[in-house]
Amino acid sequence: MALRVLEKRSALLARRCEELRTARVVVGAAIVRDGRLLAQQRSYPESHAGQWELPGGRVEPGEKPADALVRECVEELGATIVVGEHIGPDVPLKKDMVLRIFAAELADGEPEALEHNAVRWLTAGELAGLDWLPADRVLVPALQQLLN
Ligand code: 9L3
Ligand code: MG
């Protein structure tokens, strides 16, 4: 009986590992200016409306992650960024997606909430207290390190 349970668990774990190995990447930008980090407040879906995230979105097939991040920031913020180093761990999202964050700087344009409720520039001290999306919350220590 216990063996059956273990076999079942091991099969589930193997499936989850395979999902993550072949996961589609969602990229996010940790845009820093004058010691502050840019966050944006989601307006959809309803379950996550009002929560905060780093700007970004899905990498399209054949697209480079850095190119996807520049594209997403133009769409969401109306600003052009320069993508820097990969920071923090890859965070599993629902199903077969992972969230991957890159440090970034603004190159052109003043970020505006074009598809979101609001944007906000956060100090290191404000990071822990914000109502982040669950995946973005995992990255708070890495983001604090980036600001400090
Ligand atoms: N997501 C989570 N944190 C983020 C980003 C940019 C995205 N910082 C999640 C929300 C969605 C999925 O990834 O479930 C795809 O993102 P989008 O296309 O809705 O921005
Ligand atoms: Mg997005």
Side-chain angles (χ1 to χ4, degrees), residues 26-28 42 44 53-58 72 76 93-94 97 99 101 133 135-136:
V26 175
V27 283
R42 286 196 77 103
Y44 68 93
E53 66 170 13
L54 299 176
R58 290 179 174 84
E72 288 285 342
E76 295 183 341
L93 294 165
K94 63 181 178 209
M97 297 193 294
L99 178 63
I101 300 303
L133 289 183
D136 294 64

